[in-house]
Amino acid sequence: KQEVTQIPAALSVPEGENLVLNCSFTDSAIYNLQWFRQDPGKGLTSLLLIQSSQREQTSGRLNASLDKSSGRSTLYIAASQPGDSATYLCAVITYSGAGSYQLTFGKGTKLSVIP
Amino acid sequence: DTGVSQDPRHKITKRGQNVTFRCDPISEHNRLYWYRQTLGQGPEFLTYFQNEAQLEKSRLLSDRFSAERPKGSFSTLEIQRTEQGDSAMYLCASSLKSARTTEAFFGQGTRLTVV
């Protein structure tokens, strides 16, 4: 059974700092990996999708890397802003047969950026 | 394209009552997922549809839960005889069946409180 772990569970940083969020997964037979942002009481917003053949993906101040063989992904946020405060979730996408793709999530990292 | 829409956003119900939630996916997305999220946890997979066919169901989906996607467009999730343990955020996601991407887009969720 695929298990996804995110470290740290919570992180507090001063505004302007660069930071790294970590995600690890137990089964390297993944199809893709996706990073999401979740604001309190809200749904999930897709940030980046990394296909299993890719090493990294960038969007603005965000950079996500993937090392499939070691079961790790990192999300790098440059020059953090108070508006980045949210919970960041990592999800691995696996093919579970019969045309079904399933996302398995970690518990998330709660980020607070202090002005 | 207005994104994934879920209705209602909040639902408070008495234990033992039945509730039904609706999800309208992004148009032309043929894959639709239901997830459940409790406080401090990542979303957990409930069920998956490809067009109108329900291809996968989680063990979490007890006999009291039923999901449909008639005509392969919107989907409904019904919970019969609700229990306090059903209190959670119910999230719907959709994606497009494509050889190049499996990026999933989530709605804002339906927050269920069983009293």
Side-chain angles (χ1 to χ4, degrees):
Chain A
K1 179 188 172 187
Q2 178 75 266
E3 292 184 1
V4 179
T5 303
Q6 291 189 246
I7 294 173
L11 181 63
S12 184
V13 300
E15 182 178 1
E17 217 171 82
N18 302 327
L19 57 102
V20 175
L21 307 180
N22 297 291
C23 171
S24 62
F25 46 95
T26 54
D27 185 349
S28 62
I30 67 169
Y31 196 76
N32 292 331
L33 185 144
Q34 196 168 351
W35 281 92
F36 294 88
R37 168 189 173 132
Q38 186 173 34
D39 293 294
K42 305 289 187 182
L44 280 64
T45 300
S46 178
L47 297 174
L48 289 163
L49 173 79
I50 309 179
Q51 307 212 23
S52 59
S53 59
Q54 295 178 314
R55 284 279 188 166
E56 64 179 77
Q57 193 68 255
T58 298
S59 176
R61 294 183 293 108
L62 304 179
N63 176 276
S65 68
L66 173 63
D67 185 341
K68 188 178 164 185
S69 60
S70 67
R72 294 174 191 267
S73 176
T74 61
L75 179 67
Y76 174 83
I77 302 177
S80 57
Q81 302 171 358
D84 295 331
S85 298
T87 296
Y88 290 81
L89 292 155
C90 164
V92 296
I93 301 159
T94 53
Y95 181 67
S96 52
S100 173
Y101 292 87
Q102 190 177 125
L103 288 83
T104 303
F105 285 86
K107 292 184 179 181
T109 294
K110 186 175 181 180
L111 173 65
S112 298
V113 180
I114 312 301
Chain B
D1 183 354
T2 58
V4 179
S5 177
Q6 292 189 245
D7 185 71
R9 293 291 308 280
H10 304 275
K11 179 71 177 178
I12 300 174
T13 190
K14 291 183 178 180
R15 191 175 54 181
Q17 297 293 305
N18 298 343
V19 294
T20 300
F21 310 140
R22 178 180 170 122
C23 171
D24 287 272
I26 294 171
S27 60
E28 300 181 353
H29 278 196
N30 48 9
R31 293 179 175 151
L32 187 145
Y33 306 81
W34 284 98
Y35 280 78
R36 181 172 71 184
Q37 186 180 27
T38 53
L39 202 61
Q41 302 296 312
E44 295 176 294
F45 172 77
L46 292 178
T47 191
Y48 163 74
F49 289 85
Q50 184 166 298
N51 300 311
E52 67 276 9
Q54 187 174 23
L55 296 185
E56 190 170 5
K57 291 192 292 186
S58 163
R59 293 190 310 272
L60 294 174
L61 215 64
S62 74
D63 291 345
R64 296 185 297 105
F65 288 71
S66 63
E68 295 182 341
R69 192 184 182 196
K71 301 179 183 178
S73 55
F74 71 93
S75 175
T76 58
L77 178 67
E78 181 184 16
I79 309 174
Q80 296 181 326
R81 306 181 302 282
T82 52
E83 303 172 355
Q84 287 189 322
D86 297 331
S87 295
M89 174 80 89
Y90 289 84
L91 294 161
C92 175
S94 70
S95 68
L96 181 64
K97 183 180 181 184
S98 164
R100 290 180 295 172
T101 180
T102 58
E103 187 172 9
F105 297 88
F106 280 76
Q108 290 297 299
T110 294
R111 168 76 65 190
L112 173 66
T113 302
V114 182
V115 298

